[in-house]
Amino acid sequence: MAEAGHTLAELGPLRERHPRHIAQPTSVDEVVEVVRFARSHDLTVKPVGAGHSFTSIAATTGIQLDIAAIDGVLAVDGNLVTLAAGTNLHQLPELLGPYGLALANMGDIDRQTIAGATSTGTHGTGAAFGGLATQIRAVTLVTADGTLLRVSETENAELLPAARLGLGALGVLVDLTIECVPAFLLSAVEKPEPLAAVLENWSASTAATDHFEFYVWPHTDTVLSKYNTRLPIDAERRPVGRFAGWWEDDFMSNTVLAAKLELGRAFPAFTPAVNRFATRLVGDRSYTDVSHEVFVAPRRTRFVEMEYAVPFDVVPEIVREIHALIEAKGWKISFPIEVRSAAPDDLWLSTATGRPSGYLAFHRYYREDPTEYFRTIEHIMMTYGGRPHWGKMHNRDAESLRAAYPRFDDFVAVRDRLDPQRVFGNAYLERVLGA
Ligand SMILES: Cc1cc2nc3c(=O)[nH]c(=O)nc-3n(C[C@H](O)[C@H](O)[C@H](O)COP(=O)(O)OP(=O)(O)OC[C@H]3O[C@@H](n4cnc5c(N)ncnc54)[C@H](O)[C@@H]3O)c2cc1C
């Protein structure tokens, strides 16, 4: 692999941490200017969103383009909302509220920008729901020659399956039109359950619940399951009380988790007992609230993460294999493994392209070396045809990814056409897409 010789810890987002210039455009014209300047001075340009990727996908030694100031709603047409690319997901409830709209699905956090999130294939959970990029209907890009390119179902439509999830390789997204849905509530049931039963019921629970996910606690036979069911916006709201919400979503999930992770780092032998104790402290609650309040929770504990998409049906088999492997290797793993699902889609570089997918996310505390854990699991994922999340740690290169994505070469051809000089290139893209 191209990065052989480096540990995964070295491959973090800081690897190319010194951009030569930082540009903070406040308009699309200024973005065009920066790209033209870069091109004429033989510099690379890398748009950065909220910087929440665990890989160096947004890193650059050229011009870092921070488009945070280009945000907000540009147009609303029924359910179709055009957003400036630097809009953060956490702004959306306030921006979409007046129109009675919401995102159809969300991941665990809302700090990302709409452009950054769609560019890496950010997803939530739900067998009938694709990742965020599947909800994008049109985009406007500033391409490497400094011109604006509109891509939609009626304009340059052949580029749509690439531009909706483009890894930042095709140009600078300046606006995105997203198909929203009428605002809705989610009824949440969260409870500890036996691992064996949850794996047995994986297909049934996923089919019966709009948004099902579970967290496997290594060294225990217990998982924390989350069943979220969509309800009309005028159904009765039963939000978590202020104190209970703070206790579970903030104090337990951040403060206590951080203390637990420090303890596990200092005294690894205690990890199994601490995990068993933790399974008794979290979960077992039900509540109903507006969708974003249920999908998203604050995450303040620092960690590193690798996530793989695999064919939906093999999830139970893989979880059993990894659960047993952790014991066999004698690893002490404090963080739960998160298991989710997504509908198949037709985006060329989507981790769910062409198949119903399950997602397994592996975390380590940022002060622990994840190398052996992640690498060993990555090999297992590859035997199941796994595809790594583009914004999370992995060791794959273009040669190995080409085999995982049927339309990989079509994407590369679009990249060659739109950015032959690699104005938007960086080391990560060279590794995963080729030079
Ligand atoms: C705590 C935490 C929780 C997370 N939870 C989830 C989850 O539940 N589900 C999930 O799928 N992922 C999750 N992620 C991963 C995260 O969603 C992705 O890494 C996402 O890309 C981050 O968005 P960002 O705005 O920070 O983008 P950045 O990391 O800044 O950039 C990502 C990519 O987008 C490109 N980009 C940014 N702006 C533009 C633009 N205007 N034009 C073109 N390209 C652009 C960058 O160049 C880069 O290639 C999580 C990450 C963290 C840290």
Side-chain angles (χ1 to χ4, degrees):
M1 297 204 183
E3 301 284 1
H6 294 281
T7 66
L8 270 164
E10 290 169 320
L11 299 181
L14 300 182
R15 197 157 160 248
E16 277 181 284
R17 68 179 148 191
H18 296 304
R20 191 175 301 180
H21 306 284
I22 296 176
Q24 295 176 309
T26 55
S27 68
V28 173
D29 285 346
E30 284 176 25
V31 173
V32 168
E33 231 174 85
V34 173
V35 172
R36 288 185 179 165
F37 174 88
R39 197 183 149 102
S40 61
H41 289 77
D42 219 8
L43 288 166
T44 54
V45 180
K46 187 50 56 188
V48 64
H52 269 52
S53 294
F54 296 91
T55 60
S56 49
I57 188 168
T60 184
T61 48
I63 303 177
Q64 183 187 78
L65 194 64
D66 172 1
I67 55 152
I70 303 180
D71 70 341
V73 173
L74 302 177
V76 178
D77 177 9
N79 283 1
L80 295 179
V81 178
T82 301
L83 295 168
T87 309
N88 293 97
L89 301 186
H90 65 79
Q91 295 176 264
L92 293 183
E94 196 179 328
L95 293 174
L96 300 181
Y99 303 98
L101 296 172
L103 289 182
N105 197 6
M106 297 181 79
D108 297 333
I109 60 159
D110 59 6
R111 300 295 101 185
Q112 309 94 319
T113 57
I114 184 87
T118 196
S119 295
T120 57
T122 293
H123 64 92
T125 191
F129 296 85
L132 182 65
T134 65
Q135 295 147 42
I136 304 292
R137 295 287 163 260
V139 301
T140 307
L141 284 161
V142 175
T143 54
D145 58 5
T147 58
L148 290 176
L149 178 72
R150 181 85 185 144
V151 181
S152 71
E153 272 150 28
T154 53
E155 298 148 285
N156 303 300
E158 76 286 0
L159 300 177
L160 210 45
R164 290 154 91 190
L165 200 169
L167 312 188
L170 306 180
V172 183
L173 293 161
V174 287
D175 65 56
L176 302 96
T177 301
I178 184 158
E179 185 169 347
C180 295
V181 297
F184 59 100
L185 302 186
L186 281 174
S187 155
V189 176
E190 300 173 359
K191 56 185 175 187
E193 293 188 295
L195 172 65
V198 169
L199 294 180
E200 188 73 22
N201 295 332
W202 163 242
S203 290
S205 301
T206 305
T209 315
D210 294 318
H211 307 278
F212 173 64
E213 68 182 304
F214 62 93
Y215 293 82
V216 181
W217 286 96
H219 316 297
T220 81
D221 290 323
T222 304
V223 308
L224 173 65
S225 299
K226 296 191 175 190
Y227 300 82
N228 290 340
T229 302
R230 299 164 86 91
L231 295 175
I233 192 70
D234 55 4
E236 189 190 350
R237 267 183 74 183
R238 286 184 299 109
V240 186
R242 216 187 170 94
F243 176 76
W246 168 81
W247 176 264
E248 183 91 22
D249 296 327
D250 202 339
F251 183 67
M252 293 304 295
S253 304
N254 290 297
T255 314
V256 173
L257 178 64
K260 173 181 167 317
L261 294 168
E262 275 297 343
L263 184 68
R265 196 180 71 86
F267 305 102
F270 288 177
T271 302
V274 175
N275 280 10
R276 280 194 291 277
F277 183 61
T279 60
R280 281 187 240 130
L281 292 181
V282 293
D284 231 344
R285 61 179 182 167
S286 54
Y287 55 99
T288 302
D289 210 340
V290 286
S291 57
H292 61 269
E293 293 287 353
V294 179
F295 281 135
V296 168
R299 291 273 187 280
R300 285 188 287 97
T301 307
R302 287 177 68 189
F303 57 89
V304 291
E305 183 174 345
M306 176 178 80
E307 184 175 42
Y308 259 84
V310 293
F312 177 86
D313 290 334
V314 300
V315 164
E317 192 179 328
I318 301 184
V319 172
R320 282 186 202 104
E321 186 174 341
I322 290 170
H323 194 248
L325 179 80
I326 290 172
E327 297 312 322
K329 290 278 186 187
W331 295 327
K332 302 297 177 222
I333 307 296
S334 313
F335 251 100
I337 300 164
E338 185 177 12
V339 183
R340 298 183 276 186
S341 65
D345 63 53
D346 57 3
L347 308 182
W348 294 345
L349 291 190
S350 167
T351 47
T353 196
R355 66 188 191 197
S357 297
Y359 287 87
L360 292 97
F362 306 90
H363 311 75
R364 293 298 314 250
Y365 189 38
Y366 80 109
R367 297 178 71 181
E368 291 169 339
D369 183 355
T371 308
E372 189 192 352
Y373 180 51
F374 284 4
R375 264 199 199 273
T376 310
I377 286 173
E378 182 163 56
H379 283 126
I380 294 174
M381 293 298 163
M382 285 170 71
T383 64
Y384 286 96
R387 297 168 177 153
H389 190 301
W390 297 106
K392 300 185 184 179
M393 293 165 83
H394 68 91
N395 289 286
R396 306 284 291 275
D397 62 12
E399 198 189 321
S400 105
L401 290 165
R402 177 170 280 110
Y405 287 91
R407 305 296 297 269
F408 189 88
D409 284 323
D410 294 309
F411 186 91
V412 171
V414 168
R415 184 186 187 212
D416 288 344
R417 177 179 144 197
L418 294 183
D419 187 16
Q421 293 172 4
R422 305 298 188 241
V423 173
F424 303 111
N426 65 6
Y428 178 87
L429 291 183
E430 190 171 331
R431 173 162 72 95
V432 301
L433 295 176

